[in-house]
Amino acid sequence: MTRNRPRIGLYTLAIIASVISFLPIIWLILTSIKTTAGIYAWPPQYLPAPVTFQNYIDIFTKSPELLLYVLNSLIVGLGTTIVSLSLGGMAGYALSRLGMRRAGVLMVFILAVSMFPPVSLLPSLFQTFLNLGLLNTYTGLIIAHTGLFLPFSVWMLASYFATLPKEIEEAARMDGMGFFRIFWSIVIPLSWPGFVATGLIVFIHSWNEFPLALVLMTQNAMRTAPVGISLYPGEYAFPWETISTATVIAIVPILVITAIFQKQIVGGLTAGTGK
Amino acid sequence: MTEVKLERIGKSYGAVEAVQEFDLTIEDGEFLVLLGPSGCGKSTTLRMIAGLESITTGDLTISGTRMNDVDPKDRGVAMVFQNYALYPHKTVFDNMAMALKLQKVPVEEIRDRVGRTAEMLGLTEYLERKPAALSGGQRQRVAIGRAIVRTPKVFLFDEPLSNLDAKLRVKMRMELQELHDSLGVTSIYVTHDQIEAMTLADRIVIMNGGVVAQVGSPREVYDSPADEFVAGFIGSPSMNFIDLRRGAGGGWSSTEGGLRFESLPFSLGDRSEIRLGIRPEHVVITPHAETGANGGSFEAEVRLAELLGADALLNLDIEGCRLTARVGGTGHSRAGDRVQATLPTPLLHAFDIPTGKALPRLVS
Ligand SMILES: Nc1ncnc2c1ncn2[C@@H]1O[C@H](COP(=O)(O)OP(=O)(O)O)[C@@H](O)[C@H]1O
Ligand SMILES: [Mg+2]
């Protein structure tokens, strides 16, 4: 009995936290199935009446570029994730395991770099990308996003590697594996919950990133979902029905991926508590 | 002939000197045990031999070849770790076959060698399992098999039985002994468990604070400990230590009173203070006080009697001087009994007080 009491408290907190974080999404979904009149109704309409899917039909017929935005986001998100995991994995491994001198100092330095507000880098980044012809290219935004999220990846993966029993890698060394082979055939297979968790967080952040995507992708056809959706033109008012519908469509991939890897994310974030 | 030679080997981590001046030659086929309390540098020494830790000073040679800068895989050594260190995502077969695969041994031969080793260790039916589906004892057997398959010149063990429960530990200890008897491969075995050390070792190296305190056969380290640390570390319960002071008449008496000796059979020089040692199992208890305090016999009161099973421990008070005696577990004295405790002169040890070094026995 007494042991259950704190549990009830925890569950209540968890439920409150979930409801609070889900409210905007629920509101968004509800808005997307309201009529325009319903959206602007006063007093506000909480539940849509009538329910309509016209907004979804409209968006695919009137603004087909939404699919393009989503595709751009997918390409940039996946590219950023792959590059961040590759570089972050190798750097994290070197920093946590190969007995580098001053590894701790380097780790703090890496973290310090990520404290620069990205917006302050924008003018020089824009000029550089312009000179290099990287504006409006996937490569360009992938590089920019990797720069943004690599420190996080290095830290996450380095701390994950640090939880692996060192002796396994030592046994591999005695068996005759080199460092790269140990990393590839021992460390990566044993660390995939860490890679999944890190990769997913990087993907989501890249997907949602706004300032760099706005400035470095100036052509409409290259815009990512958040930028494209926010720039939907409205004549006299914000086209709330279009924006909310498009946003719902844009978060679907993330929700699906998160649902699939939910277990690994939790496992990766709480690394070290298990074997 | 596999001779492992450590010449004044030392290891420091910055200011921490983990191992100093380790100097020893391990003979072909010998089973050498490194014994000592946690943190004394046993693992560090073993890992320097394995090549997992660089050697700060000194030379390591195996079969006459200097190994300081040789890659672990090329040293002809195989290691068994305390936590098994198996590859969790690979089957037992793949765990055991890994080194051979990397050496590009033909597949047929790998299958044959792994098969034979698995059979020897009773692992044949588990070859396709992953380590997670094995018990602790089976996992450690796989780890041992992984070492055997490579037919190394030297086996290195770092507390291989510490993660097993007491019963299994005894069983695996015997298996290791049989294995060594049949394979005859030079083995270096790290443990903090003196029973493992006493039962397995041809020779024991006792370490203390990164320094070798004594090297000798189990018999030697038990019978003639080189210093107070070894004397106290080997044997359970620990040796009794009693400080003695030389009296005006030349005899010795304990500083806390009770013990008096006319003379002691050690070369004591002109010391006025020494530390006397006697193992609990060497204190002889007889029921009645007959002779009083002379010739190493003293009247004692039993303060506490603890039954261990086969044996019992008596905590004795000899006029303020406390010591422990180990006696048979049946019909032993009770708390409050007055008994006679005899400390047989040939079984006494004497140590120098500031240095702790054992004082040599006088030959009579
Ligand atoms: N990587 C390391 N860095 C710093 N000190 C270490 C390191 N490894 C071991 N030591 C120190 O070296 C000493 C010996 O350690 P170790 O050989 O593991 O002891 P044992 O195996 O006898 O318990 C200890 O004091 C330990 O703290
Ligand atoms: Mg150790």
Side-chain angles (χ1 to χ4, degrees):
Chain A
M1 283 301 277
T2 43
R3 283 194 64 208
N4 277 340
R5 234 163 244 278
R7 281 263 175 98
I8 292 170
L10 277 181
Y11 281 134
T12 315
L13 281 178
I15 290 169
I16 292 173
S18 320
V19 169
I20 291 176
S21 36
F22 260 105
L23 265 180
I25 295 179
I26 293 167
W27 187 250
L28 205 64
I29 294 172
L30 290 178
T31 308
S32 75
I33 51 176
K34 285 178 192 168
T35 59
T36 311
I39 290 170
Y40 291 107
W42 192 263
Q45 213 181 52
Y46 288 104
L47 292 175
V51 171
T52 171
F53 293 99
Q54 192 56 42
N55 294 331
Y56 286 88
I57 299 166
D58 284 352
I59 210 155
F60 286 112
T61 50
K62 292 183 197 158
S63 344
E65 65 270 28
L66 174 66
L67 285 182
L68 197 59
Y69 298 155
V70 169
L71 182 71
N72 290 342
S73 279
L74 266 179
I75 293 172
V76 172
L78 286 178
T80 304
T81 306
I82 291 168
V83 179
S84 296
L85 289 185
S86 313
L87 297 180
M90 288 190 274
Y93 187 63
L95 285 165
S96 73
R97 273 301 215 254
L98 298 187
M100 273 177 65
R101 281 162 158 266
R102 309 256 177 278
V105 177
L106 215 59
M107 291 280 283
V108 171
F109 187 72
I110 289 172
L111 194 67
V113 166
S114 73
M115 285 175 181
F116 280 105
V119 174
S120 68
L121 302 172
L122 261 180
S124 54
L125 204 59
F126 181 83
Q127 192 59 47
T128 313
F129 274 36
L130 181 66
N131 295 344
L132 293 175
L134 287 174
L135 290 181
N136 292 306
T137 63
Y138 294 130
T139 319
L141 193 55
I142 289 173
I143 292 175
H145 279 183
T146 301
L148 227 45
F149 307 128
L150 192 55
F152 167 79
S153 309
V154 172
W155 268 77
M156 274 285 284
L157 291 171
S159 4
Y160 196 90
F161 299 148
T163 67
L164 298 178
K166 219 176 176 170
E167 289 83 359
I168 297 179
E169 290 150 67
E170 291 175 342
R173 256 181 91 191
M174 304 220 45
D175 270 350
M177 291 191 204
F179 288 117
F180 196 78
R181 186 157 193 158
I182 292 174
F183 181 61
W184 185 255
S185 63
I186 305 288
V187 174
I188 291 180
L190 296 186
S191 310
W192 63 271
F195 277 96
V196 170
T198 311
L200 219 81
I201 292 170
V202 168
F203 180 81
I204 291 171
H205 278 81
S206 165
W207 184 278
N208 287 332
E209 195 280 329
F210 194 86
L212 294 183
L214 172 73
V215 174
L216 300 179
M217 297 294 214
T218 53
Q219 291 166 6
N220 190 37
M222 291 305 288
R223 282 189 180 133
T224 58
V227 176
I229 291 169
S230 72
L231 293 183
Y232 272 142
E235 259 175 77
Y236 302 110
F238 253 11
W240 281 120
E241 64 281 10
T242 321
I243 289 177
S244 53
T245 310
T247 308
V248 170
I249 294 169
I251 62 177
V252 163
I254 292 188
L255 286 181
V256 170
I257 295 177
T258 313
I260 294 174
F261 290 111
Q262 187 257 114
K263 234 174 100 183
Q264 282 71 36
I265 301 173
V266 175
L269 292 176
T270 56
T273 51
K275 268 199 176 178
Chain B
M1 276 293 287
T2 306
E3 191 189 67
V4 181
K5 202 165 181 178
L6 295 91
E7 285 173 287
R8 309 189 58 175
I9 285 198
K11 173 78 190 181
S12 40
Y13 298 101
V16 181
E17 303 229 29
V19 177
Q20 296 171 53
E21 301 274 321
F22 199 111
D23 214 32
L24 187 73
T25 302
I26 300 144
E27 314 281 333
D28 185 44
E30 184 174 4
F31 201 115
L32 185 91
V33 172
L34 301 182
L35 176 67
S38 160
C40 71
K42 309 178 294 288
S43 295
T44 306
T45 306
L46 196 74
R47 292 164 55 80
M48 284 193 282
I49 300 172
L52 294 172
E53 211 73 71
S54 63
I55 296 170
T56 314
T57 56
D59 292 302
L60 169 72
T61 52
I62 298 177
S63 309
T65 316
R66 188 172 183 275
M67 290 291 178
N68 286 45
D69 306 311
V70 175
D71 208 59
K73 70 172 195 296
D74 301 322
R75 294 189 182 197
V77 301
M79 184 150 164
V80 177
F81 296 85
Q82 174 176 350
N83 59 5
Y84 323 130
L86 300 176
Y87 309 125
H89 56 306
K90 296 196 183 292
T91 62
V92 169
F93 181 91
D94 287 336
N95 265 281
M96 289 169 67
M98 183 59 76
L100 301 182
K101 276 185 193 163
L102 292 165
Q103 288 167 21
K104 307 244 176 342
V105 173
V107 180
E108 287 305 308
E109 191 187 331
I110 293 181
R111 204 167 295 147
D112 184 52
R113 279 165 74 174
V114 173
R116 266 186 293 136
T117 309
E119 186 152 347
M120 180 161 76
L121 294 165
L123 291 169
T124 309
E125 55 187 305
Y126 306 111
L127 281 176
E128 293 313 313
R129 287 204 197 168
K130 299 265 176 70
L134 299 178
S135 71
Q138 289 165 337
R139 282 180 214 179
Q140 196 52 288
R141 258 189 218 119
V142 175
I144 292 167
R146 174 168 70 177
I148 293 176
V149 167
R150 294 171 53 187
T151 57
K153 290 188 280 185
V154 184
F155 281 127
L156 305 175
F157 298 92
D158 194 352
E159 312 227 7
L161 308 183
S162 299
N163 280 13
L164 304 177
D165 62 56
K167 220 170 176 176
L168 200 53
R169 205 178 307 158
V170 174
K171 185 161 171 274
M172 286 294 288
R173 193 177 77 206
M174 292 177 176
E175 284 186 26
L176 278 177
Q177 215 161 358
E178 284 174 19
L179 211 60
H180 182 253
D181 288 345
S182 66
L183 297 175
V185 176
T186 310
S187 302
I188 306 173
Y189 186 106
V190 162
T191 184
H192 66 268
D193 181 322
Q194 50 168 306
I195 299 178
E196 273 173 37
M198 296 297 273
T199 51
L200 288 169
D202 293 323
R203 270 195 304 167
I204 298 179
V205 177
I206 296 167
M207 296 182 71
N208 181 24
V211 180
V212 173
Q214 187 172 4
V215 182
S217 68
R219 191 82 254 162
E220 282 163 359
V221 297
Y222 178 80
D223 286 346
S224 332
D227 62 21
E228 201 184 314
F229 171 79
V230 175
F233 192 78
I234 298 281
S236 172
S238 270
M239 186 181 277
N240 296 293
F241 292 106
I242 305 139
D243 287 356
L244 299 184
R245 194 171 289 147
R246 203 194 287 265
W252 292 83
S253 50
S254 53
T255 44
E256 279 146 23
L259 301 194
R260 265 173 300 281
F261 298 89
E262 291 306 313
S263 66
L264 288 167
F266 300 97
S267 79
L268 302 166
D270 55 359
R271 288 178 180 78
S272 60
E273 265 191 332
I274 59 152
R275 187 159 292 155
L276 193 74
I278 175 111
R279 296 196 182 281
E281 56 271 37
H282 292 157
V283 179
V284 180
I285 301 295
T286 37
H288 301 292
E290 286 152 1
T291 51
N294 70 48
S297 286
F298 307 94
E299 201 182 312
E301 185 185 337
V302 178
R303 283 296 172 91
L304 195 69
E306 294 175 305
L307 179 65
L308 303 180
D311 290 343
L313 300 182
L314 304 182
N315 192 290
L316 305 173
D317 184 342
I318 304 172
E319 288 175 39
C321 171
R322 306 292 286 254
L323 48 87
T324 304
R326 185 174 190 135
V327 296
T330 41
H332 60 81
S333 316
R334 308 275 151 192
D337 288 357
R338 292 198 73 79
V339 295
Q340 178 166 296
T342 307
L343 315 185
T345 323
L347 296 171
L348 293 175
H349 301 267
F351 305 96
D352 183 54
I353 284 211
T355 64
K357 289 267 167 277
L359 298 172
R361 194 172 286 276
L362 291 176
V363 268
S364 51

